[in-house]
Amino acid sequence: MAMTTGHTVKAFDDDLGELRALVSEMGGRAEAAVNDAMEALVRRDLELAARVVEQDRRIDEIELEIERRVIRLIALRAPMADDLREVLAALKISGVVERMADYAKNIAKRVPVLAEARGLEPISILPAMARAVSDMVRATFDAFAARDAEAAVAVCESDRIVDDFYNSLFRTLLTYMLENPHNITPSTHLLFIGKNLERIGDHSTNVAEMVYFAATGHQMAERPKGEDVLMQRDTPR
Amino acid sequence: MAMTTGHTVKAFDDDLGELRALVSEMGGRAEAAVNDAMEALVRRDLELAARVVEQDRRIDEIELEIERRVIRLIALRAPMADDLREVLAALKISGVVERMADYAKNIAKRVPVLAEARGLEPISILPAMARAVSDMVRATFDAFAARDAEAAVAVCESDRIVDDFYNSLFRTLLTYMLENPHNITPSTHLLFIGKNLERIGDHSTNVAEMVYFAATGHQMAERPKGEDVLMQRDTPR
């Protein structure tokens, strides 16, 4: 087997493969956290909500494991140029996934309070929004695993669907709050949950942009970013 | 001059120094963004708000510049163990600062809508909260520059002050929304602004933990994390 500067190409590829598998695992866990948090919310299932919070530790552990492996990989294999870029991309993506999972955890933490609230009909938008977001997360990590630039572009485009859901949720919640002051506290929770989902979508977009860059060597063309409906002047004041 | 494995220790130290200076610059800009966004809000100064949004691009550019330098530094200087760890910490911290600045930008983006709203008295809590947060950001990057573990611990402790401000803001806004439905939309903006400040405080804490780890080689002891008041059962429903 040919040795080049003290390491074999195969050893590097194996290490990188393991690193990427860990990032994919984190992505899968973040997707599951979104789905489980939403299911816990809809079914008022406090045990499932507690499990989402607890499982987040494992995601944090994988992030630390990835960091350790990146340091060892760079020290042992001394990757150059493109290889190094890919290793650092994995490190960076793991940081983003950790935050995505954190937002899902935050949703789960709100379940116990909301489980006691009555008349939360705007909740019907949230499962559909959560599905759109978890589809987006899955598509992102499929694109990551396949190093697929086109799939990464599709992820970024689907972020608009999530933004539309958020805007629709905001308008619905506003109506609820105006109708009855008792709806204000639960509606505030639901608004934060919607905002968390929207941010998970944003972070998916960031990861997809990194996947695109890693696959093509170019930045993805700037998309016109959808604005939070709250920023628009026509919302009721 | 002695050459070791193709690079001098001094060349590495110079590169690392420049890298750290860029991270400090990002931190200073994030702190300024918080202050300016709040000043724009209080004075209803749309120009200043627009400038905060525009200046955020420069922060994004510095982040990319840091990434480029990290890749070059690793490729050219092949740092080992502790040195490599410090380089990767700078990369990681730059990613966190980018998000801190993003939250400040988000505050600035809400200024035009809030500039038209009347009777926003809870706003009086926000400047004090913003000051606490920008003090925290400054202390974080002072600790980073000085590699000061004790100062990093102090940063983490001061996060409670920010959490207390947020909880007090939330209660005040809730009262406002209950009093008059016309307050609901502006109050929602103010709540998001408070949440943004609170997250900037959280991110400062994360950076301070990384500073502590880099300085001591140990993880900072777990702090009992202050909970969002919204998670408490005794809030009015």
Side-chain angles (χ1 to χ4, degrees):
Chain A
M1 199 183 280
M3 297 286 283
T4 57
T5 62
H7 79 276
T8 65
V9 172
K10 181 164 182 319
F12 172 78
D13 285 347
D14 288 351
D15 286 354
L16 181 63
E18 283 171 24
L19 197 63
R20 289 175 57 89
L22 282 173
V23 174
S24 291
E25 186 189 338
M26 277 185 91
R29 283 177 179 268
E31 183 199 337
V34 171
N35 289 330
D36 290 348
M38 193 48 56
E39 196 178 328
L41 179 68
V42 170
R43 297 196 317 192
R44 302 176 185 228
D45 183 338
L46 305 196
E47 269 182 46
L48 182 57
R51 210 148 60 229
V52 172
V53 173
E54 205 207 291
Q55 292 273 320
D56 189 59
R57 280 199 206 157
R58 180 66 195 128
I59 293 178
D60 293 347
E61 280 168 14
I62 302 177
E63 193 199 3
L64 283 177
E65 173 67 22
I66 287 173
E67 201 177 325
R68 275 192 294 269
R69 280 173 185 249
V70 164
I71 290 175
R72 213 178 50 200
L73 197 157
I74 294 175
L76 288 181
R77 314 281 176 219
M80 302 300 282
D82 286 355
D83 287 344
L84 179 56
R85 208 174 294 274
E86 194 157 5
V87 170
L88 294 181
L91 179 71
K92 229 173 144 178
I93 291 173
S94 73
V96 179
V97 190
E98 188 272 330
R99 286 193 300 288
M100 290 163 68
D102 226 49
Y103 285 117
K105 179 174 77 172
N106 186 275
I107 294 172
K109 280 186 170 179
R110 292 179 195 276
V111 170
V113 193
L114 281 165
E116 295 175 10
R118 311 221 166 279
L120 290 173
E121 308 191 14
I123 232 180
S124 66
I125 296 177
L126 278 173
M129 184 177 179
R131 230 172 352 257
V133 170
S134 78
D135 285 351
M136 209 176 148
V137 175
R138 191 176 48 252
T140 302
F141 287 91
D142 286 350
F144 169 78
R147 294 175 165 83
D148 184 337
E150 265 180 59
V153 172
V155 166
C156 294
E157 280 162 3
S158 67
D159 194 34
R160 289 203 194 170
I161 302 169
V162 175
D163 288 345
D164 288 348
F165 269 119
Y166 177 72
N167 291 339
S168 152
L169 176 73
F170 175 73
R171 288 186 201 279
T172 310
L173 288 174
L174 199 69
T175 313
Y176 263 67
M177 291 195 260
L178 289 167
E179 267 172 25
N180 183 347
H182 288 106
N183 291 335
I184 290 180
T185 302
S187 295
T188 308
H189 280 290
L190 295 176
L191 189 60
F192 275 125
I193 290 175
K195 194 76 192 167
N196 286 339
L197 288 172
E198 191 247 356
R199 284 196 182 272
I200 295 172
D202 278 354
H203 283 332
S204 278
T205 301
N206 293 346
V207 173
E209 284 168 352
M210 295 182 216
V211 169
Y212 184 92
F213 182 71
T216 65
H218 300 287
Q219 302 278 354
M220 202 183 288
E222 187 90 27
R223 307 155 294 130
K225 170 106 181 58
E227 274 301 344
D228 190 325
V229 71
L230 274 165
M231 306 301 186
Q232 293 164 15
R233 302 299 185 85
D234 64 346
T235 47
R237 267 184 290 274
Chain B
M1 202 181 281
M3 297 288 282
T4 55
T5 61
H7 78 276
T8 64
V9 172
K10 181 168 183 317
F12 172 78
D13 285 348
D14 288 351
D15 286 354
L16 181 63
E18 282 171 25
L19 196 62
R20 289 175 56 89
L22 282 173
V23 174
S24 291
E25 187 189 338
M26 277 184 91
R29 283 176 180 269
E31 182 198 337
V34 172
N35 289 329
D36 289 349
M38 193 49 55
E39 194 178 329
L41 179 68
V42 171
R43 296 195 317 190
R44 303 176 183 226
D45 182 338
L46 304 195
E47 269 182 47
L48 182 57
R51 210 147 60 228
V52 172
V53 173
E54 205 208 290
Q55 292 273 319
D56 189 59
R57 281 199 205 158
R58 179 67 194 128
I59 293 178
D60 293 346
E61 281 169 15
I62 302 177
E63 194 199 2
L64 283 176
E65 173 68 20
I66 287 173
E67 201 177 325
R68 275 192 294 270
R69 280 172 186 249
V70 165
I71 290 175
R72 213 179 49 201
L73 196 158
I74 294 175
L76 287 181
R77 313 279 177 221
M80 302 299 284
D82 286 355
D83 287 345
L84 179 55
R85 209 174 293 273
E86 193 157 9
V87 170
L88 294 182
L91 180 70
K92 230 173 144 179
I93 291 173
S94 74
V96 180
V97 190
E98 189 272 329
R99 287 193 300 289
M100 290 163 69
D102 227 49
Y103 285 118
K105 180 174 79 173
N106 186 274
I107 294 173
K109 279 185 169 179
R110 293 180 194 275
V111 170
V113 194
L114 281 166
E116 295 174 10
R118 311 221 167 279
L120 291 173
E121 307 190 15
I123 233 179
S124 66
I125 297 178
L126 278 172
M129 183 178 179
R131 233 177 343 262
V133 169
S134 78
D135 285 351
M136 209 178 149
V137 175
R138 193 176 46 253
T140 302
F141 287 92
D142 285 350
F144 169 78
R147 295 172 165 83
D148 184 337
E150 266 180 60
V153 172
V155 166
C156 294
E157 280 162 3
S158 67
D159 194 34
R160 289 202 195 172
I161 301 168
V162 174
D163 288 345
D164 288 347
F165 269 120
Y166 177 72
N167 292 340
S168 151
L169 176 73
F170 175 73
R171 289 187 200 277
T172 310
L173 288 173
L174 199 69
T175 313
Y176 264 67
M177 290 194 260
L178 290 168
E179 267 172 24
N180 183 347
H182 288 106
N183 291 336
I184 290 180
T185 301
S187 294
T188 307
H189 280 289
L190 295 176
L191 188 60
F192 275 125
I193 289 175
K195 194 76 192 166
N196 286 339
L197 288 172
E198 191 248 357
R199 283 197 182 273
I200 294 171
D202 278 353
H203 283 331
S204 279
T205 302
N206 292 346
V207 172
E209 285 168 352
M210 295 183 216
V211 169
Y212 184 92
F213 182 71
T216 65
H218 300 286
Q219 302 278 354
M220 201 183 289
E222 188 92 25
R223 304 156 295 128
K225 170 106 180 57
E227 274 301 344
D228 190 324
V229 72
L230 274 165
M231 306 301 185
Q232 295 163 14
R233 302 296 185 85
D234 64 347
T235 47
R237 268 185 289 274

PDB file of all heavy atoms in Angstrom, chain A residues 202-216:
ATOM      1  N   ASP A 202     -34.392  27.721   8.578  1.00  0.00           N
ATOM      2  CA  ASP A 202     -33.278  28.597   8.204  1.00  0.00           C
ATOM      3  C   ASP A 202     -31.941  27.879   8.325  1.00  0.00           C
ATOM      4  O   ASP A 202     -31.068  28.008   7.460  1.00  0.00           O
ATOM      5  CB  ASP A 202     -33.216  29.818   9.137  1.00  0.00           C
ATOM      6  CG  ASP A 202     -34.191  30.902   8.736  1.00  0.00           C
ATOM      7  OD1 ASP A 202     -34.830  30.770   7.673  1.00  0.00           O
ATOM      8  OD2 ASP A 202     -34.316  31.880   9.495  1.00  0.00           O
ATOM      9  N   HIS A 203     -31.780  27.144   9.412  1.00  0.00           N
ATOM     10  CA  HIS A 203     -30.516  26.436   9.626  1.00  0.00           C
ATOM     11  C   HIS A 203     -30.336  25.327   8.587  1.00  0.00           C
ATOM     12  O   HIS A 203     -29.221  25.078   8.142  1.00  0.00           O
ATOM     13  CB  HIS A 203     -30.459  25.872  11.046  1.00  0.00           C
ATOM     14  CG  HIS A 203     -30.156  26.914  12.087  1.00  0.00           C
ATOM     15  ND1 HIS A 203     -29.421  28.048  11.820  1.00  0.00           N
ATOM     16  CD2 HIS A 203     -30.472  26.998  13.395  1.00  0.00           C
ATOM     17  CE1 HIS A 203     -29.304  28.778  12.921  1.00  0.00           C
ATOM     18  NE2 HIS A 203     -29.947  28.167  13.888  1.00  0.00           N
ATOM     19  N   SER A 204     -31.439  24.672   8.202  1.00  0.00           N
ATOM     20  CA  SER A 204     -31.361  23.676   7.128  1.00  0.00           C
ATOM     21  C   SER A 204     -30.834  24.332   5.864  1.00  0.00           C
ATOM     22  O   SER A 204     -30.005  23.763   5.144  1.00  0.00           O
ATOM     23  CB  SER A 204     -32.742  23.093   6.815  1.00  0.00           C
ATOM     24  OG  SER A 204     -33.067  22.085   7.723  1.00  0.00           O
ATOM     25  N   THR A 205     -31.353  25.523   5.601  1.00  0.00           N
ATOM     26  CA  THR A 205     -30.905  26.265   4.430  1.00  0.00           C
ATOM     27  C   THR A 205     -29.400  26.548   4.510  1.00  0.00           C
ATOM     28  O   THR A 205     -28.679  26.381   3.525  1.00  0.00           O
ATOM     29  CB  THR A 205     -31.684  27.599   4.331  1.00  0.00           C
ATOM     30  OG1 THR A 205     -33.071  27.280   4.248  1.00  0.00           O
ATOM     31  CG2 THR A 205     -31.276  28.382   3.117  1.00  0.00           C
ATOM     32  N   ASN A 206     -28.939  26.942   5.692  1.00  0.00           N
ATOM     33  CA  ASN A 206     -27.501  27.193   5.853  1.00  0.00           C
ATOM     34  C   ASN A 206     -26.685  25.945   5.554  1.00  0.00           C
ATOM     35  O   ASN A 206     -25.663  26.006   4.874  1.00  0.00           O
ATOM     36  CB  ASN A 206     -27.175  27.632   7.291  1.00  0.00           C
ATOM     37  CG  ASN A 206     -27.752  28.987   7.615  1.00  0.00           C
ATOM     38  OD1 ASN A 206     -28.163  29.722   6.722  1.00  0.00           O
ATOM     39  ND2 ASN A 206     -27.806  29.328   8.885  1.00  0.00           N
ATOM     40  N   VAL A 207     -27.142  24.813   6.086  1.00  0.00           N
ATOM     41  CA  VAL A 207     -26.412  23.561   5.840  1.00  0.00           C
ATOM     42  C   VAL A 207     -26.431  23.244   4.346  1.00  0.00           C
ATOM     43  O   VAL A 207     -25.405  22.875   3.765  1.00  0.00           O
ATOM     44  CB  VAL A 207     -27.014  22.392   6.652  1.00  0.00           C
ATOM     45  CG1 VAL A 207     -26.370  21.072   6.263  1.00  0.00           C
ATOM     46  CG2 VAL A 207     -26.840  22.629   8.156  1.00  0.00           C
ATOM     47  N   ALA A 208     -27.598  23.416   3.713  1.00  0.00           N
ATOM     48  CA  ALA A 208     -27.714  23.121   2.281  1.00  0.00           C
ATOM     49  C   ALA A 208     -26.749  23.999   1.480  1.00  0.00           C
ATOM     50  O   ALA A 208     -26.139  23.542   0.504  1.00  0.00           O
ATOM     51  CB  ALA A 208     -29.153  23.322   1.811  1.00  0.00           C
ATOM     52  N   GLU A 209     -26.587  25.243   1.912  1.00  0.00           N
ATOM     53  CA  GLU A 209     -25.648  26.132   1.221  1.00  0.00           C
ATOM     54  C   GLU A 209     -24.212  25.617   1.364  1.00  0.00           C
ATOM     55  O   GLU A 209     -23.416  25.691   0.426  1.00  0.00           O
ATOM     56  CB  GLU A 209     -25.760  27.568   1.774  1.00  0.00           C
ATOM     57  CG  GLU A 209     -27.013  28.287   1.257  1.00  0.00           C
ATOM     58  CD  GLU A 209     -27.312  29.593   1.990  1.00  0.00           C
ATOM     59  OE1 GLU A 209     -26.638  29.886   3.007  1.00  0.00           O
ATOM     60  OE2 GLU A 209     -28.230  30.308   1.551  1.00  0.00           O
ATOM     61  N   MET A 210     -23.902  25.086   2.544  1.00  0.00           N
ATOM     62  CA  MET A 210     -22.550  24.521   2.736  1.00  0.00           C
ATOM     63  C   MET A 210     -22.359  23.275   1.878  1.00  0.00           C
ATOM     64  O   MET A 210     -21.271  23.039   1.351  1.00  0.00           O
ATOM     65  CB  MET A 210     -22.319  24.170   4.205  1.00  0.00           C
ATOM     66  CG  MET A 210     -22.308  25.378   5.140  1.00  0.00           C
ATOM     67  SD  MET A 210     -21.952  24.839   6.864  1.00  0.00           S
ATOM     68  CE  MET A 210     -22.977  25.961   7.802  1.00  0.00           C
ATOM     69  N   VAL A 211     -23.425  22.459   1.774  1.00  0.00           N
ATOM     70  CA  VAL A 211     -23.353  21.256   0.936  1.00  0.00           C
ATOM     71  C   VAL A 211     -23.103  21.664  -0.517  1.00  0.00           C
ATOM     72  O   VAL A 211     -22.257  21.094  -1.205  1.00  0.00           O
ATOM     73  CB  VAL A 211     -24.665  20.432   1.037  1.00  0.00           C
ATOM     74  CG1 VAL A 211     -24.714  19.341  -0.018  1.00  0.00           C
ATOM     75  CG2 VAL A 211     -24.805  19.828   2.438  1.00  0.00           C
ATOM     76  N   TYR A 212     -23.824  22.686  -0.948  1.00  0.00           N
ATOM     77  CA  TYR A 212     -23.672  23.184  -2.321  1.00  0.00           C
ATOM     78  C   TYR A 212     -22.241  23.657  -2.559  1.00  0.00           C
ATOM     79  O   TYR A 212     -21.601  23.307  -3.556  1.00  0.00           O
ATOM     80  CB  TYR A 212     -24.656  24.329  -2.554  1.00  0.00           C
ATOM     81  CG  TYR A 212     -24.654  24.869  -3.978  1.00  0.00           C
ATOM     82  CD1 TYR A 212     -25.538  24.350  -4.927  1.00  0.00           C
ATOM     83  CD2 TYR A 212     -23.779  25.877  -4.355  1.00  0.00           C
ATOM     84  CE1 TYR A 212     -25.541  24.833  -6.214  1.00  0.00           C
ATOM     85  CE2 TYR A 212     -23.780  26.364  -5.653  1.00  0.00           C
ATOM     86  CZ  TYR A 212     -24.661  25.840  -6.575  1.00  0.00           C
ATOM     87  OH  TYR A 212     -24.664  26.320  -7.865  1.00  0.00           O
ATOM     88  N   PHE A 213     -21.736  24.426  -1.620  1.00  0.00           N
ATOM     89  CA  PHE A 213     -20.386  24.969  -1.754  1.00  0.00           C
ATOM     90  C   PHE A 213     -19.346  23.841  -1.798  1.00  0.00           C
ATOM     91  O   PHE A 213     -18.432  23.852  -2.640  1.00  0.00           O
ATOM     92  CB  PHE A 213     -20.076  25.917  -0.596  1.00  0.00           C
ATOM     93  CG  PHE A 213     -18.717  26.559  -0.698  1.00  0.00           C
ATOM     94  CD1 PHE A 213     -18.464  27.530  -1.650  1.00  0.00           C
ATOM     95  CD2 PHE A 213     -17.694  26.187   0.167  1.00  0.00           C
ATOM     96  CE1 PHE A 213     -17.213  28.125  -1.758  1.00  0.00           C
ATOM     97  CE2 PHE A 213     -16.434  26.782   0.066  1.00  0.00           C
ATOM     98  CZ  PHE A 213     -16.191  27.750  -0.883  1.00  0.00           C
ATOM     99  N   ALA A 214     -19.528  22.849  -0.911  1.00  0.00           N
ATOM    100  CA  ALA A 214     -18.577  21.734  -0.875  1.00  0.00           C
ATOM    101  C   ALA A 214     -18.615  20.949  -2.187  1.00  0.00           C
ATOM    102  O   ALA A 214     -17.588  20.476  -2.680  1.00  0.00           O
ATOM    103  CB  ALA A 214     -18.878  20.818   0.312  1.00  0.00           C
ATOM    104  N   ALA A 215     -19.826  20.830  -2.774  1.00  0.00           N
ATOM    105  CA  ALA A 215     -19.976  20.016  -3.988  1.00  0.00           C
ATOM    106  C   ALA A 215     -19.514  20.740  -5.244  1.00  0.00           C
ATOM    107  O   ALA A 215     -19.006  20.122  -6.179  1.00  0.00           O
ATOM    108  CB  ALA A 215     -21.429  19.567  -4.145  1.00  0.00           C
ATOM    109  N   THR A 216     -19.683  22.062  -5.274  1.00  0.00           N
ATOM    110  CA  THR A 216     -19.423  22.795  -6.525  1.00  0.00           C
ATOM    111  C   THR A 216     -18.228  23.744  -6.433  1.00  0.00           C
ATOM    112  O   THR A 216     -17.700  24.166  -7.461  1.00  0.00           O
ATOM    113  CB  THR A 216     -20.643  23.676  -6.902  1.00  0.00           C
ATOM    114  OG1 THR A 216     -20.793  24.697  -5.888  1.00  0.00           O
ATOM    115  CG2 THR A 216     -21.916  22.849  -6.992  1.00  0.00           C
TER     116      THR A 216
END
